[in-house]
Amino acid sequence: MSVETHVDRARDRVAAERDAVADERRAYERFGSAVASIPTTSGPTAAGGEPTAGTGPGTGGVRAAVGGRTASATDGCRRVREAFAETVRPHSVADRAADEPLLATVREELGDAVAVALSPKTDHDFTPPVASAIGSAVDDRIAEIAVFDRTLEREAASLRSAGETVRELTDWLAAADETPLLTLGFDELRRRHEALADRIATCESLLADRQADLDRTASRGASVGLRQRSTVAYLYDDFPVSHPVLSTVARLVETLTECQRAVRDHLTRRA
């Protein structure tokens, strides 16, 4: 019977996180569609009777859209808050306090400017610049989620490869352990010693590959980048070991080395 290792538990953890990330991405897509379907207003009126203009989709555009309150104008912001509460918020507070204020969650997910624009205390109109700023923030979050998922995909592939190697090594050790060293002849002991050396080399190669994986960075464009090591630290924060692959393989090296030492002792005595 194969023994479950930290690598097996890590694979389960990554699979669960990828499911959660997929759900979050779909929630943002639904939220973005909901925002796009809400009618905007022309915004507050400046001296001379002309609507004030926003300055673009970023933070400046949001702040330039502050104006006088009308029921129809502020209704759009209310509808955005409701859409956010129904779509994104359940995924955002899943690992935090469920009683976190809605606008605190908006600020955490979409930034200060969007949170201010959507606050009922500031009486912002739901103008095109506000809608555009929210849309840009949503696009940014979806891009960040895509990069995070890329690191999860890479981690899943790394764990799958490591898991296959670890399983082969543990199965071989279990089978070899069924034959007492006292029953082996000198040549059989020598071959066992060589086989153990080969498997130690396999482990060392696996450790090097894993370290290389941890040093990689996933990115999307110039503005979004995430190091694999950061994702690993997040994934296994509540694990008994912080590096499931490295810990498992290092323990295997210790076991293989102990076995090799025992074989070498038998060879020495029979030489």
Side-chain angles (χ1 to χ4, degrees):
M1 178 183 295
S2 297
V3 178
E4 185 182 48
T5 68
H6 292 306
V7 177
D8 297 312
R9 289 187 285 275
R11 293 179 68 176
D12 292 340
R13 174 72 179 89
V14 172
E17 187 67 22
R18 293 200 73 185
D19 288 342
V21 166
D23 289 342
E24 184 179 14
R25 182 180 62 249
R26 285 190 288 267
Y28 264 106
E29 290 169 349
R30 292 195 302 272
F31 174 62
S33 296
V35 171
S37 70
I38 299 173
T40 59
T41 67
S42 58
T45 301
E50 294 297 327
T52 57
T55 60
T59 301
V62 173
R63 291 173 178 166
V66 181
R69 178 177 182 173
T70 65
S72 60
T74 57
D75 181 66
C77 289
R78 176 188 60 79
R79 291 175 62 183
V80 172
R81 292 195 300 271
E82 291 175 350
F84 182 89
E86 293 172 0
T87 56
V88 175
R89 178 176 163 82
H91 301 279
S92 177
V93 300
D95 57 351
R96 297 200 295 273
D99 59 351
E100 177 182 82
L102 177 63
L103 288 175
T105 309
V106 172
R107 180 175 289 104
E108 179 73 22
E109 294 289 327
L110 301 176
D112 289 339
V114 172
V116 170
L118 294 179
S119 173
K121 295 181 180 180
T122 55
D123 296 339
H124 284 196
D125 297 343
F126 187 61
T127 60
V130 171
S132 179
I134 296 171
S136 294
V138 169
D139 289 343
D140 288 344
R141 283 295 293 127
I142 290 176
E144 291 170 0
I145 290 170
V147 170
F148 182 47
D149 187 57
R150 194 169 302 159
T151 67
L152 293 176
E153 182 179 15
R154 182 179 294 161
E155 179 69 0
S158 179
L159 292 174
R160 183 167 54 251
S161 177
E164 291 171 355
T165 300
V166 167
R167 184 62 51 84
E168 291 173 1
L169 292 171
T170 54
D171 287 351
W172 181 86
L173 271 172
D177 193 52
E178 294 178 358
T179 305
L181 295 180
L182 289 172
T183 66
L184 298 178
F186 186 85
D187 288 341
E188 290 174 312
L189 285 171
R190 183 172 50 79
R191 285 193 293 270
R192 174 72 62 84
H193 191 274
E194 293 172 352
L196 286 163
D198 289 342
R199 283 159 177 80
I200 291 172
T202 296
C203 287
E204 291 172 345
S205 177
L206 180 55
L207 289 171
D209 290 343
R210 179 61 176 174
Q211 289 286 7
D213 285 340
L214 292 175
D215 289 335
R216 297 176 70 181
T217 299
S219 62
R220 180 169 179 171
S223 60
V224 182
L226 182 62
R227 293 196 63 182
Q228 194 73 21
R229 197 176 295 275
S230 298
T231 296
V232 167
Y234 161 76
L235 285 170
Y236 312 126
D237 179 59
D238 59 349
F239 264 47
V241 295
S242 56
H243 290 281
V245 174
L246 298 181
S247 297
T248 298
V249 178
R251 183 69 186 95
L252 260 176
V253 170
E254 292 177 3
T255 301
L256 289 165
T257 301
E258 291 172 2
C259 292
Q260 190 182 47
R261 186 179 301 114
V263 172
R264 189 160 52 247
D265 289 343
H266 278 265
L267 283 169
T268 301
R269 287 197 298 268
R270 299 186 196 185

